[in-house]
Structure formats: C-alpha cells, structure tokens
C-alpha cells in the first residue's frame, strides 16, 4: 500500500495538484495532507475537498501514526 504525506500549501504546486499528478501513475495511492493552517481555512480557500484526510501541524508522533493508520484503512485514493 502506498501513501503520500504532503503539505497542502507549497510553492508552485499545492498538495492536491501534487497528488493528482502522482495518482495518474499510482492510482491506488492514498494521501494524507498536513498544514499549519486550520482545516477550516484550508477548506474555505478551496484547496482541499471535503472528506480528505488532514492533520494540522504541529502534531505528535502518536497523532501522525493514528492518522496514517486511518488514512491507509479508509482514506481517499486515486485522482480527485
């Protein structure tokens, strides 16, 4: 099973665009987004679709582990 862990806001390309490009070649890949912005701000700016897996920075190792497990178990995959 493959997982992309990507920041949402990056220079030149956002995390959603990165995932869409990678998912063309790896359609079963799942994605977990992270950001220092709150989930509400990210959703309001239209950067992420509702229901995607997201973790807000800063996060603990325990929180990351739990979110990775949840994403692998039932996260979205393929182009969005």
């Amino acid at each position: 099973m493959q997982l992309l862990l990507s920041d949402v806001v990056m220079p030149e390309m956002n995390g959603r665009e990165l995932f869409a490009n990678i998912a063309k070649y790896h359609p079963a890949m799942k994605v977990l987004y992270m950001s220092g912005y709150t989930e509400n701000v990210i959703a309001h700016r239209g950067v992420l679709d509702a229901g995607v897996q997201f973790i807000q920075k800063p996060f603990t190792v325990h929180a990351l582990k739990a979110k990775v497990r949840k994403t692998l178990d039932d996260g979205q995959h393929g182009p969005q």
Side-chain angles (χ1 to χ4, degrees):
M1 192 166 295
Q2 298 174 328
L3 174 72
L4 171 66
L5 174 62
S6 176
D7 206 313
V8 175
V9 179
M10 301 180 294
E12 302 191 28
M13 178 183 302
N14 67 39
R16 189 168 105 189
E17 293 167 332
L18 174 64
F19 178 60
N21 287 333
I22 293 172
K24 290 176 193 174
Y25 304 100
H26 302 281
M29 180 175 287
K30 297 187 177 188
V31 62
L32 170 57
Y33 295 104
M34 63 182 165
S35 180
Y37 295 102
T38 65
E39 190 170 4
N40 290 340
V41 170
I42 296 296
H44 179 71
R45 293 178 66 188
V47 179
L48 293 181
D49 297 327
V52 298
Q53 295 295 328
F54 175 84
I55 188 167
Q56 186 175 339
K57 294 190 271 183
F59 47 79
T60 65
V61 172
H62 177 73
L64 178 61
K65 177 183 172 187
K67 196 58 128 168
V68 165
R69 180 77 269 150
K70 179 174 176 35
T71 303
L72 290 174
D73 288 346
D74 62 17
Q76 292 187 347
H77 54 85
Q80 300 176 27

